């Protein structure tokens, strides 16, 4: 019983720290927007690298990987 009580006391602050459902939706949308921007930036970087490699191959210049 004491062990269960100790576990409940340890978990209680974690439960209290969870986001309220009303606050979770804007946070989820914000996170989704950040994820979208991240993927766009990664895609733009990959496209720029591919373009640079293609131009280097046409010019015969060795590029570091």
């Amino acid at each position: 019983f004491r062990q269960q009580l100790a576990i409940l006391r340890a978990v209680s602050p974690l439960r209290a720290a969870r986001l309220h459902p009303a606050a979770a939706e804007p946070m989820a949308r914000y996170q989704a927007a950040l994820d979208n921007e991240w993927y766009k930036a990664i895609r733009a970087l990959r496209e720029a690298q591919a373009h640079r490699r293609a131009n280097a191959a046409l010019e015969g210049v060795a590029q570091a990987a």
Side-chain angles (χ1 to χ4, degrees):
F1 178 74
R2 288 183 186 192
Q3 185 179 12
Q4 289 176 344
L5 185 59
I7 292 172
L8 287 175
R9 285 183 180 158
V11 172
S12 181
L14 295 174
R15 286 184 180 164
R18 288 192 319 198
L19 283 177
H20 187 272
E25 184 181 346
M27 189 63 126
R29 285 191 307 222
Y30 178 69
Q31 183 64 46
L34 288 176
D35 289 345
N36 288 338
E37 291 300 319
W38 172 255
Y39 290 124
K40 285 178 189 176
I42 293 296
R43 182 178 177 190
L45 174 64
R46 288 181 179 159
E47 288 174 355
Q49 289 173 335
H51 180 71
R52 191 183 83 206
R53 285 188 195 115
N55 284 343
L58 292 175
E59 295 172 2
V61 177
Q63 291 287 318

